[in-house]
Amino acid sequence: MKILKISKENGIFQQILSIKENRNKRKVLKKFFVEGVQNINDALDNDWEIDSLFFTDFNNLSGWAKNIVNNNCTNNYELTLPLMQKLSDKTDTSELLAIFKIKEQEITINSKNPILLFLDRPSKKGNFGNIIRSADAFNVDLILYSGHSVDIYDHEVISASMGSFFKVPFKFMSSNLEFETFIKNLKIRFPNLKVVATSLQAQKPINKEDFTSPILLLMGNERAGLGKYYYELADTIVKIEMNKNIDSLNLACATSVFLYEINRQRRI
């Protein structure tokens, strides 16, 4: 096994750092940064390919880390502790950091009664990651997102997802036409598909809507809410009933409430 030692912020280290921090660099190189035992395990369990691994001292790694280094990658880098600390987001620096390759996902919907989630311009990294985690917990078959959103491959999104990033398929909608075509094809396959928009101004609370058929749930941006265009595509508009002293919920919380209600109805 070959290990390249890096003791200063050379070109290789700068590229690692840029993959972690620079959206355009990730897009060009088709690579992204991953930290955390759960994230790395779930990535490997779901057939994401490691490009590079980073650690401080191979001989002092845990059995888990040594096994990954020995079996998954030829690009192994031994960094000094200060360099590992600069890369790590954790107070106690992780023993193993990784760069994974971005892969083309095949979008297949195997469920006969799917739950699909659409996010309009998600703008907060932590929210996006938490939503991915909720989508995994509540049986979402596919996450769609659009507009000028945060990068789904950002390390903060992945960290917040707690491994769910690697388990829930996702697809970026690059235009209104692409999204309309996607819905049209969905309705051919699932004639009883219901497109559900969400709004604080809606009259119908979520517990009064029937979510037992295939669902495409449309969730809005944290600041601007769901764009007007998407309401025109919706079959129904619903809201979460709340205390009158509260005017809104965090997007991740609101999405979780909607997904929970969809699942609750399907268990009855």
Side-chain angles (χ1 to χ4, degrees):
M1 178 182 61
K2 184 179 179 180
I3 298 176
L4 179 62
K5 295 186 177 183
I6 300 177
S7 59
K8 59 182 180 180
E9 295 188 22
N10 60 12
I12 295 176
F13 181 82
Q14 290 299 328
Q15 184 172 88
I16 299 165
L17 195 60
S18 68
I19 289 172
K20 177 184 177 183
E21 297 181 346
N22 189 296
R23 173 181 198 147
N24 291 329
K25 185 67 71 172
R26 289 191 291 272
K27 183 176 181 181
V28 170
L29 296 178
K30 297 187 181 302
K31 300 174 184 178
F32 63 105
F33 179 86
V34 177
E35 179 173 14
V37 173
Q38 186 70 53
N39 282 320
I40 292 175
N41 281 341
D42 283 333
L44 293 173
D45 287 345
N46 289 278
D47 300 322
W48 290 74
E49 183 180 353
I50 290 177
D51 175 81
S52 311
L53 291 168
F54 312 93
F55 44 86
T56 297
D57 182 355
F58 177 79
N59 292 325
N60 287 328
L61 292 178
S62 66
W64 166 80
K66 283 183 178 179
N67 182 63
I68 290 175
V69 174
N70 283 326
N71 293 292
N72 290 281
C73 187
T74 57
N75 300 316
N76 298 308
Y77 298 93
E78 186 174 284
L79 278 57
T80 62
L81 182 57
L83 293 181
M84 284 291 286
Q85 290 172 332
K86 187 165 185 176
L87 284 177
S88 176
D89 290 323
K90 297 183 180 296
T91 302
D92 294 326
T93 306
S94 297
E95 65 170 340
L96 190 66
L97 304 173
I99 298 291
F100 277 80
K101 296 179 181 179
I102 292 175
K103 68 177 181 179
E104 294 296 326
Q105 297 197 71
E106 293 185 11
I107 305 304
T108 57
I109 301 172
N110 297 318
S111 173
K112 295 180 180 179
N113 191 23
I115 303 170
L116 310 176
L117 173 63
F118 171 78
L119 304 174
D120 177 18
R121 301 159 293 157
S123 62
K124 294 185 178 181
K125 299 172 185 178
N127 273 348
F128 205 172
N130 286 326
I131 288 170
I132 294 170
R133 190 177 180 189
S134 291
D136 185 21
F138 294 120
N139 304 306
V140 169
D141 296 272
L142 176 64
I143 296 173
L144 308 163
Y145 64 107
S146 72
H148 185 64
S149 74
V150 299
D151 181 14
I152 200 167
Y153 290 100
D154 188 283
H155 65 99
E156 292 183 38
V157 175
I158 294 168
S159 179
S161 80
M162 296 294 289
S164 292
F165 171 90
F166 302 101
K167 296 186 281 184
V168 183
F170 53 84
K171 180 176 177 57
F172 177 71
M173 295 280 104
S174 60
S175 68
N176 290 348
L177 177 60
E178 182 182 14
F179 190 50
E180 289 174 23
T181 302
F182 181 83
I183 293 177
K184 181 179 179 181
N185 290 334
L186 269 181
K187 289 198 170 185
I188 292 173
R189 182 176 173 187
F190 305 101
N192 58 340
L193 175 79
K194 185 181 293 185
V195 181
V196 180
T198 57
S199 171
L200 292 172
Q201 285 71 48
Q203 297 300 311
K204 182 183 286 188
I206 57 173
N207 63 316
K208 299 299 182 181
E209 184 62 56
D210 182 1
F211 291 119
T212 56
S213 66
I215 295 293
L216 172 56
L217 178 67
L218 311 180
M219 298 297 300
N221 172 271
E222 287 91 341
R223 295 181 180 178
L226 193 63
K228 181 179 178 182
Y229 159 78
Y230 296 105
Y231 288 114
E232 297 173 358
L233 301 176
D235 299 309
T236 186
I237 305 174
V238 296
K239 69 176 180 180
I240 299 171
E241 288 188 312
M242 295 181 289
N243 187 313
K244 293 181 179 179
N245 295 322
I246 301 295
D247 60 2
S248 65
L249 285 177
N250 170 281
L251 177 61
C253 293
T255 303
S256 296
V257 170
F258 279 110
L259 294 177
Y260 175 82
E261 176 61 19
I262 293 170
N263 279 264
R264 185 194 68 80
Q265 289 189 18
R266 293 177 179 211
R267 290 194 300 268
I268 295 176

